[in-house]
Structure formats: C-alpha cells, structure tokens
Amino acid sequence: MNYFPDEVIEHIFDFIASHKDRNSISLVSKSWHKIERCSRKRVFIGNCYAINPERLIQRFPSLRSLTLKGKPHFADFNLVPHEWGGFVHPWIVALAKARVGLEELRLKRMVVSDESLELLSRSFSSFKSLVLVSCEGFTTDGLASVAANCRHLRELDLQENEIDDHRGQWLNCFPESSTALTSLNFSCLKGETNLAALERLVARSPNLESLKVNRAVPLDALTRLMSCAPQLVDLGVGSYENEPDQESFMKLMAAIKKCTELRSLSGFSEVAPLCLTAFYPICQNLTSLNLSYAAEIQGNHLISYFELQELRVFPSDLHDEEDNDTAVTEIGLVAISAGCPKLHSILYFCKQMTNAALITVAKNCPNFIRFRLCILEPNKPDHTTSQSLDEGFGAIVQACKGLRRLSVSGLLTDKVFLYIGMYAEQLEMLSIAFAGDTDKGMLYVLNGCKKMRKLEIRDSPFGNAALLADVDKYRTMRSLWMSSCEVTLGGCKRLARNAPWLNVEIINENENNDVMERNEEDEREKVDRLYLYRTVVGARKDAPPCVTIL
Amino acid sequence: MAYEKVNELNLKDTELRLGLPGTGQVKEEKEVSCVRSNKRQHQSDNEEESTPPTKTQIVGWPPVRSYRKNNNSVVSYVKVSMDGAPYLRKIDLKTYKNYSELLKELENMFKFTIGEYSEREGYRGSGVVPTYEDKDGDWMLVGDVPWDMFTSSCKRLRIMKGSDALALDSAL
C-alpha cells in the first residue's frame, strides 16, 4: 500500500465511512494517520468534554460533519443539574474562527443558544444539515436565523428539544429560493405554526422525504401537506383528538394512499382512534412506528406490523393507580415478539413481567440490538413465581448475540450480571437501576463485557471495590455514571489519583458544596452522583459550583 | 400519604436517598395553593394498597423524560361549563402550572370569584364550586389531588353555582 501515492490511498480511504474503521486506519502508520486525518470529513465525539474544539480542528482540517454529545443520559430524568454543562457555543466559535467548511452539525443533550445558532448560520456558507436532539437553551428566533441564512439547508431536524416558542414567523424565514429541503422536523415546538408558510415550503421542496409537524398542525392541513408531498418516506403527524368528519376522513385516507413510499410514522399525541385507522392501509410497509406520545393505543393494533423494526411503548399514565384493564404487561411484549419477527429495537414500559415471557421473547426475537425494559415498580419480581427476573434477562442476553444496548429492571440479583458478563459480548450500553446485591454484580459486567462503552447505574449496592478493581477498564469506556450507590468520596478520590486521564465528577447540590474541604471522616461519605469519563484535555473549565472534578 | 412532585425544581426533589423504595420519610408537599393528596388516603382506607405509592417519591423514576410527561397527559384541552352560562369554553390544562393559575383564568373567563379552598370544607363563601369529571366518570372537587394528577385525569370541568353549589357546600 505504501507504494501508492497519497492521493490514491486517500481515494481508497474515501470508501471507508465508519468511524471505527477510520479510527483503526489512523493507527496503522504515521503516513496513514496523516492521510486519514487530512481527508476525514465526518467526526463523531460521544462526549464533548473528551476533547476540545481546537485540537479537533488541528487534527481534522477538512472537517465537514460534526456530531457532539453533551450531558449524560440520566440528565433526561432530572438527575443532572440544569447548569451542568454541554455548551456548544465554544465549538461553533472555534470552527468559525478556523473557517472550517462545516456542512453538518448534530448535537445531542447540549445547551444551544440563539446566539450560537445565529453565529452558525452566518459562518458556514455550505451548511446543509442541523440535527438537534434533546437540546435546550434556544428559541424559535434561533431557528429563524438558520432558516434565513443557511441558503443550502437540506435538513432541519429537531427532536425532543426544549425550545422557547416565540410563536414568530420562523417558517416564513425560509427564502422562496429555498427548495433543497429533504428533512424538516419541528414536532417538539409547542406553539402555533404558520400553516400557509409551511404549505408553501413543502410545495416547493420536491426532495422532501421526512416531514414531522407539531401538534398545532390540524388534520386538514396535514392532508394538504401529504397531498403535495406524496414522496414522503417518514411522516410525523400532529395531535388529532377529535374524530374527523366523514369528508375529512376520506380526504385523509386518499392522501395517505398516495404516499406509497411511507416507511416510518410517528407523532399522534392524543390521537382519535378513527384517525389512526386511516393509516392502516400503509402500515404493513412500516419499518418504524413511534406511537409513544399516543395515550390510548390498543396493543393489538400493533401486532400485524410484520415489517416493524423499532417500537417504543411508554406508560400512558404515570399516575396509574390500579388500572388493571389497560395496564401494559408481559402479554403485550410476547405478542409483539411473535408478530414482529424483524423487531430489533424495543423500549417497553410495563407494570409487570415474568421470566417465562422473557424467555419466549428471546426465542422469538433473537435479533434484538436494543432491548430496554422498564417495569414501573422498582424491584418487582416475576409476578407469577415471585422470583427474580435474572433468568429472563439471562435468556435475552444469551439469545440475542448482537445485543448492543440493554436496560434491565425488576427484581434482580448479582446473577443477572453474571449472565450479562458471560453472554453479552457486543454490549455497549447498559442501564441498571435498583438491581444487584454486592460489588460482584458490577464486577461481572466490567470484567465480562469487552465492548462496554457506557455504563449507567442508579440505586444499586455497588461500591468502591467494584469501582476501583480495574481502573484501566475505563480507558476503553466512554463514561460511567453511578448515583445513589455505595461509592464513597474516598474511593472516588483514590480513583482520580490513579487515573489522571479521567475526569471524575462529583455532583452534589447540597449547600455544603465544597467537597475538597472535607476532612478525613468525610472520605467515608457516600457520593450522591458520580460521573466519570476519559478525556485528553483534563478537567473542564466550565463546571458549575455543584460539580467538583477530583 | 403525601405525594411528592418530581417535576418541580425543588431542592428536595434532587435529594437522593439510598435504601429501598418504601423506606425513608414521606415528605409533605409545599404548594402555594395548599393542595395535598387525599385520594390515596381514602383508597387505602377501603382496600389493601397493592401498589406501593413510593414510586412517585423516587427522583427520576420511571425513567421518562419530563418533556414526555408534559406531553403525555391523556387530555390537554377540556371543556369548561358554568351553570347558567349560554355556551361552553375550552381550555388547555397544560398552559397552567398549578391550581391558582387555573382558577384565576376561570374566574376571568366566566366573571365570577371563587371562595377560599380548604381541604376540609372545599370552596367556601361564594356559592361557586369548581368540579371536574375524571377518567372514571366521577365528578370530583377541583383541588383535592396534586396538580399533575389532576391534569392527567381531568376530562372536563364544570363550575357549579346556585342551588347545586349550595347543596354541595352544605354537604361538605
């Protein structure tokens, strides 16, 4: 290979897209490292504090697409203080200053401001794609700058962000000359939408494949939108709580039938059952169905979706008292596994579960890549045998050889972790809550799962012995989260001393904040929340007072 | 048993405790409108509590994004009728953060003033009683249960006044 000129090698590298592969290539030799880094267009940074923007730009001067993730996953459940961090602004400033030809920015759980969006929109003339997932800190004014200034914008995808909706005219800010849109998702906006502007935009976007509207888009508008965009592959609908009249319904059905390319459906907050039936004709083609916002979907509607690959079932009523008739149980999960053999990703909240059901599910769907089960009541055993669910989850990890993500729940002992460590060879992310008996549980996982990248644990009896057993393991992982466990301040300090390449963050929102001033007795004090991650740039400078980096 | 709201930005909410759910203290809710949960109390008087209420006291559990919790209530827009008014109104419960905001809006909408709420006696003093129909079809007094529980179970509102309200008043 080294006899080829660089340009040829670079051309060969062009065919290698996966981050893992490109990372491997860069390790082969100095010359390959150089060719690779100078030609690299797409970079994925799973933890924005593992590196800084200056070093990123230095290494990859041809950067076109950047993906950044900020807050830890448990931030979704209010376990991370609001001001923790994950600010995108310094990244945009640095990229703009270095005149990087940025075309795509994908952010997850980061803090984004209108100022950042404005700067973004003005700094990168070829900017094409903005994807924001679970971000916060901006308003529709920021979106207006992006719409107005990014002349080549193809994708604006806003998923589950907290956006202050100023009910302005941001949709109007797309210039008339903007016809390149392929994807528009504003489902998370809470306010009114300028329907006329939306319809005009969709009408002049012949390449639009993905459209996800917000709750404020009524049924007749949706029908018109679908009629002028029959090429849609991915559709997110609004909120339709009222039963449509006959005429509206017929028009809707006609529009839906024309959308023969439709493969993915979502939205439906408060959907009237009749509205849902209008979508049945195309449902057999669906590969992805997200009804997670729809409160009253009957489980049996889902069973006939043979092509279904991903499914999420959320609890419809979080204050559920004794709603036995509509409670989601193991029966639904078994039925789904039997009816949807192509299912590879599932997130399932339920009231109860049994080992037998999980064993059946494992047999029916050995192709699971993501299996996340949340039994609403912590520590709940198999409701027919009163035993732990170790065997059930054991069956899942044994059968699903490609499992990459797992969330466990219910009554679980150390044994389930023995199974996970033994069988879950491809497991990259594991979420544990209210499980296990001793440090052995966590050790089984750390020792067994060679591909583990993200481990997040809450309310489980794992302590310093497990935390400190194999410090080098954390070199191979992106991060570890432990909250309400048995680790102590002393243990965390010891870890930080032994692993200077880790940021060991202690999050503590009590008044007596200064962790470093604690005296010897306090070393035995249990740590509320621990978040550690590997980094090449040391302790971050933007940590708030409630975060101490040891 | 008091019900602790996990969505409010409240230091107590972020207090994490080790120990199995079910142990530890039960906290009283501090709310401007002085609403406490009585519903659970009454239920446990009558039947065995098979579902421990403690799941509502655990921070960040179940692991559902609060964004989703806000969007996922069964109803958002509810009809509001007032005895004697010629037509009904519709309001979006999600635009209010608590009972006092809701009641204030209702007072504005229908031009009445409501009496003072107390747990024991309901709304005294004005002959106006706000009620709502819950998921089970029962007519309940507005204000008894925690706000989140109310917004997810309320199907419609009825503001009673006149003789009906007086009867209710005196019955309480």
Side-chain angles (χ1 to χ4, degrees), chain A residues 75-138:
Chain A
D76 286 356
F77 317 129
N78 298 330
L79 289 177
V80 175
H82 189 71
E83 64 278 21
W84 178 85
F87 306 103
V88 77
H89 198 71
W91 293 84
I92 298 179
V93 166
L95 290 162
K97 194 165 160 202
R99 298 189 202 283
V100 170
L102 194 68
E103 293 178 12
E104 179 179 272
L105 186 63
R106 308 166 74 94
L107 305 175
K108 186 166 186 180
R109 284 192 205 98
M110 295 205 61
V111 178
V112 181
S113 64
D114 285 346
E115 197 195 342
S116 304
L117 292 174
E118 162 93 20
L119 181 60
L120 174 78
S121 73
R122 294 196 185 282
S123 308
F124 309 110
S125 54
S126 305
F127 195 76
K128 295 191 175 69
S129 167
L130 182 63
V131 180
L132 302 176
V133 180
S134 303
C135 297
E136 55 174 359
F138 60 107

Side-chain angles (χ1 to χ4, degrees), chain A residues 378-396:
Chain A
N379 291 311
K380 190 161 184 175
D382 176 325
H383 74 93
T384 55
T385 65
S386 296
Q387 291 185 324
S388 74
L389 290 170
D390 297 339
E391 298 306 313
F393 281 104
I396 296 283

Side-chain angles (χ1 to χ4, degrees), chain A residues 509-533:
Chain A
E509 271 165 308
N510 294 334
E511 297 96 49
N512 189 6
N513 255 343
D514 204 338
V515 161
M516 297 309 282
E517 274 181 13
R518 299 274 174 86
N519 55 30
E520 283 307 308
E521 281 106 57
D522 294 321
E523 302 277 301
R524 269 174 268 133
E525 193 174 303
K526 295 207 182 106
V527 162
D528 259 357
R529 284 165 281 181
L530 160 67
Y531 180 54
L532 62 86
Y533 50 89

Side-chain angles (χ1 to χ4, degrees), chain A residues 76-77 134 160-162 188 270 292-293 314-315 317-319 321-322 349 374 376 379 458 484-485 526, chain B residues 3 16 18 20 43 50-51 58-65 67-69 72 74 76 94 135 148 152:
Chain A
D76 286 356
F77 317 129
S134 303
E160 302 202 352
N161 303 290
E162 292 283 347
C188 56
E270 290 136 44
S292 54
Y293 286 99
F314 281 83
D317 183 357
L318 290 162
H319 307 293
E321 286 161 14
E322 280 303 324
F349 284 80
C374 180
L376 290 170
N379 291 311
R458 64 166 292 181
S484 303
C485 297
K526 295 207 182 106
Chain B
Y3 166 87
L16 299 171
L18 289 169
L20 294 174
Q43 278 197 340
S50 44
T51 314
I58 304 166
V59 176
W61 192 266
V64 177
R65 295 195 63 206
Y67 173 94
R68 209 174 260 288
K69 280 184 194 165
N72 210 26
V74 174
S76 60
K94 289 213 212 64
K135 279 191 306 187
D148 280 351
S152 62

